[in-house]
Each structure stands twice: as structure tokens, then as C-alpha cells.
Amino acid sequence: MDLLTRLLISLITQAALVEARDAWAGGHLWRVSQLARRLALDLKLPAPDVAQITLGALVHDLGKIGVAETILNKPTRLSDEEFDAMRAHPETGLAALVGHPLAHLVRESVLMHHETPDGTGYPQGLQGDALPLVARIVGLVDAFDAMTSTRSYRRQLGIEPALQAIEDNIDTQFDGGLARHFIKMARAGAFDDIAGHSEKGIAMQHCPTCGPIIAIPHKTRSGDVIACPACRTGFKVLGNANDWHLRPLPVHISARPLSVDHELVQCLAQEIRAQLDERVALGVV
Ligand SMILES: [Fe+2]
């Protein structure tokens, strides 16, 4: 394993650690990165740009490491104070990246994914062309995933109502050209195997005991044991990938392993390496 691959894994592991603190996020980073990647590939962007967009989408919420779990998992509306703490996450993410040798690849998506074309986003209120393509793509697919996933404070929308909401906010919240392209792809079914899934081909499961998402890894076999990220109840997973069932066990499981998609990491390493000046990327920016 070369240095670039190791650095990618270190960055993605940080993002997985952050996601593990949010019991309702199960698979959010996977979905956002896959949606962004499919859109970037369909736009026929160069391979290094596709990699940067995929990686940026995977780590965009890194700054949520600074948001209390009580806020991340709150089942009711956030207070103004809590909302301010949540809105600090892009800048916290930027601070968390300081010194990481691959920071320059993800800085824009981490800092700017809540900026909007009309300048009403945060933290900087950037507008129009000041908003880089990677941030516009991550912002768009992040919003689509937020709408099509159940969270602690609201149930998920279907794909079509979410696309309608995007259409209603073209040129204000979303880049017009990108949003129209995304909607066209979505209506042709391009994202049907991503929306509502926690991993490729695995439909999202909710904890039968307390509600949050239980992401079942694709390597799971019938009889394996998995835990709810919130109540920690253990479940025996029965069936197959097309139709998993969760049977509660009289045990609580304190921790679960973080998973990194090594196939995707290899793919990103190859795409990035193609145009990388290793002294800049691995050394000393
Ligand atoms: Fe975010």
C-alpha cells in the first residue's frame, strides 16, 4: 500500500468516525459520495476532478466532530443556540484539516458545501462564480440525500417530491445547470439504487427498538450480529442482502468497527495519482 492510499484511508477514517457519532446518518457519506460521483461522471469531468468531488463528498461533514451528539441526534427542532453550533461545522472541518497532506483536495467541499448560488448560505455567503463546482455539487447531493433520508426530527421524502423541492429552488439554493442535469438523471432512475440505501444494494434498516438507521455492511452473512448505533441493542441479521431481518438479542454491544471502502480508495488513488505532483500532494502544503 503506497503513501497516497494510506493518506486517503486516514482522511476517510476521520469522516467515518464523525458519521459514527450520528445515529441517524447511517450511510449518508456513502450515498452523498456515490451521488456526487455519478453526477460528475455523467458530466464527463476529468478523472482527477471526479476523484476530488467523490472524496470531498465523503468528508464534507468532517466538522461535525465539533457538534455535540445531543444536538446531532436531537429529535425536536434545534434552538437558535444549537443551530448556531451546527452552522459552525464547515469552519470546524477546515480547522480539523490543518496539517493533513491531502487537505487541499477537500478544503472547498468541507468549507463551502452549505454556500448557495444566491449568497444566502454559510459560512461566507459566497455567491455565483465564487462558489467552486465541487461545493455546488456536494451541496446539491447533500440536500437531496437529507430530504430522502429519515432523520431524528422528520421522516424521509420520496425521490420525486425531493426533486420537486430542488426544482423549486433552482438558481437560489441550487446551481441551475447542475440541478437540471441531476433531476434528469434521477427521473431516469440513475440514483434508485443509492437513495434509501446504506450501501450498494442494501436498503436502509431502522432499529426496531429505538428508530435510528442500522447500516448493514455488504459483507454481512446470515447469522452475523450487528448493533444499533443509538441504543446498542444487538441484533442477529437473518436472510440475505435482498431482504434482511433483524432479530433482537438480549445483549448490548458497546462499539462497532468503522468501515472504509478499500475498493473505492484504490479507485480514488488511481484517479488522483494520474495528475498529482507527489511533492505537493504528499509533502508539504
Ligand atoms: Fe454539512
Side-chain angles (χ1 to χ4, degrees):
M1 195 184 287
D2 68 4
L3 183 55
L4 174 59
T5 307
R6 287 172 195 270
L7 288 171
L8 284 168
I9 289 173
S10 79
L11 200 53
I12 294 169
T13 302
Q14 285 184 43
L17 193 61
V18 176
E19 181 172 272
R21 298 175 66 239
D22 182 349
W24 289 88
H28 171 64
L29 298 182
W30 173 79
R31 287 190 299 279
V32 171
S33 64
Q34 291 301 311
L35 293 166
R37 184 172 183 82
R38 255 181 224 181
L39 176 58
L41 286 169
D42 209 65
L43 290 165
K44 310 224 174 334
L45 298 176
D49 292 1
V50 173
Q52 193 167 346
I53 288 162
T54 310
L55 185 62
L58 261 177
V59 306
H60 71 280
D61 270 342
L62 204 56
K64 285 189 178 170
I65 195 72
V67 181
E69 284 184 45
T70 47
I71 297 177
L72 291 176
N73 294 293
K74 190 174 177 189
T76 52
R77 208 179 180 79
L78 298 183
S79 68
D80 288 350
E81 203 175 56
E82 289 164 339
F83 197 58
D84 285 347
M86 187 67 108
R87 282 167 60 103
H89 78 268
E91 284 168 315
T92 307
L94 186 70
L97 282 169
V98 170
H100 195 288
L102 299 184
H104 63 291
L105 291 175
V106 297
R107 189 175 286 133
E108 289 174 341
S109 51
V110 168
L111 180 64
M112 301 173 187
H113 66 276
H114 287 291
E115 301 284 359
T116 59
D118 64 358
T120 62
Y122 61 91
Q124 294 168 285
L126 296 176
Q127 216 165 350
D129 291 345
L131 202 49
L133 178 66
V134 60
R136 281 180 273 152
I137 288 181
V138 175
L140 171 65
V141 299
D142 187 29
F144 174 75
D145 186 60
M147 287 189 275
T148 53
S149 305
T150 295
R151 295 287 171 90
S152 57
Y153 49 90
R154 58 148 176 74
R155 291 199 65 75
Q156 70 197 86
L157 286 180
I159 291 180
E160 186 49 40
L163 296 176
Q164 194 58 56
I166 290 174
E167 214 160 35
D168 293 345
N169 289 286
I170 275 179
D171 291 334
T172 49
Q173 195 181 343
F174 305 111
D175 176 291
L178 285 176
R180 277 185 277 271
H181 195 103
F182 181 82
I183 290 168
K184 198 171 160 199
M185 287 179 72
R187 288 192 172 137
F191 308 124
D192 288 357
D193 60 340
I194 301 174
H197 292 69
S198 56
E199 222 178 293
K200 194 173 168 51
I202 314 254
M204 254 188 257
Q205 298 275 341
H206 287 271
C207 175
T209 307
C210 73
I213 295 166
I214 300 182
I216 301 182
H218 70 274
K219 285 180 190 157
T220 303
R221 307 177 82 105
S222 189
D224 285 356
V225 172
I226 197 163
C228 166
C231 67
R232 301 288 179 191
T233 300
F235 293 92
K236 188 173 264 194
V237 185
L238 299 169
N240 59 58
N242 297 321
D243 189 21
W244 287 125
H245 296 278
L246 301 174
R247 182 189 293 166
L249 298 169
V251 291
H252 278 72
I253 296 171
S254 60
R256 56 188 182 142
L258 295 174
S259 69
V260 172
D261 182 344
H262 287 268
E263 210 176 299
L264 179 63
V265 170
Q266 289 301 338
C267 196
L268 293 174
Q270 207 172 6
E271 290 166 347
I272 292 168
R273 200 180 291 113
Q275 285 193 1
L276 196 67
D277 177 340
E278 298 236 332
R279 279 172 310 153
V280 174
L282 305 184
V284 269
V285 275

